[in-house]
PDB file of all heavy atoms in Angstrom:
ATOM      1  N   ALA A  66     -35.617  99.349  36.530  1.00 94.00           N
ATOM      2  CA  ALA A  66     -35.523  99.416  38.028  1.00 94.00           C
ATOM      3  C   ALA A  66     -36.814  98.637  38.616  1.00 94.00           C
ATOM      4  O   ALA A  66     -36.625  97.881  39.631  1.00 94.00           O
ATOM      5  CB  ALA A  66     -35.537 100.870  38.598  1.00 94.00           C
ATOM      6  N   CYS A  86     -41.289 111.897  31.730  1.00 97.00           N
ATOM      7  CA  CYS A  86     -40.576 110.839  31.154  1.00 97.00           C
ATOM      8  C   CYS A  86     -40.606 110.893  29.599  1.00 97.00           C
ATOM      9  O   CYS A  86     -41.561 111.422  28.961  1.00 97.00           O
ATOM     10  CB  CYS A  86     -41.121 109.530  31.606  1.00 97.00           C
ATOM     11  SG  CYS A  86     -41.025 109.316  33.330  1.00 97.00           S
ATOM     12  N   ARG A 151     -63.190 104.462  21.397  1.00 94.00           N
ATOM     13  CA  ARG A 151     -63.748 104.448  22.806  1.00 94.00           C
ATOM     14  C   ARG A 151     -62.901 103.434  23.691  1.00 94.00           C
ATOM     15  O   ARG A 151     -63.065 103.446  24.911  1.00 94.00           O
ATOM     16  CB  ARG A 151     -65.168 104.067  22.680  1.00 94.00           C
ATOM     17  CG  ARG A 151     -65.999 105.130  21.999  1.00 94.00           C
ATOM     18  CD  ARG A 151     -67.346 104.614  21.679  1.00 94.00           C
ATOM     19  NE  ARG A 151     -67.064 103.409  20.843  1.00 94.00           N
ATOM     20  CZ  ARG A 151     -68.064 102.609  20.139  1.00 94.00           C
ATOM     21  NH1 ARG A 151     -69.244 103.058  20.337  1.00 94.00           N
ATOM     22  NH2 ARG A 151     -67.658 101.721  19.401  1.00 94.00           N
ATOM     23  N   GLU A 169     -62.812 101.220  29.658  1.00 93.00           N
ATOM     24  CA  GLU A 169     -63.133  99.792  29.481  1.00 93.00           C
ATOM     25  C   GLU A 169     -62.368  99.329  28.110  1.00 93.00           C
ATOM     26  O   GLU A 169     -62.111 100.153  27.283  1.00 93.00           O
ATOM     27  CB  GLU A 169     -64.632  99.583  29.240  1.00 93.00           C
ATOM     28  CG  GLU A 169     -65.440  99.831  30.427  1.00 93.00           C
ATOM     29  CD  GLU A 169     -65.307  98.828  31.625  1.00 93.00           C
ATOM     30  OE1 GLU A 169     -64.944  97.688  31.375  1.00 93.00           O
ATOM     31  OE2 GLU A 169     -65.570  99.183  32.742  1.00 93.00           O
TER      32      GLU A 169
END
Side-chain angles (χ1 to χ4, degrees):
C86 298
R151 296 164 300 187
E169 299 285 337

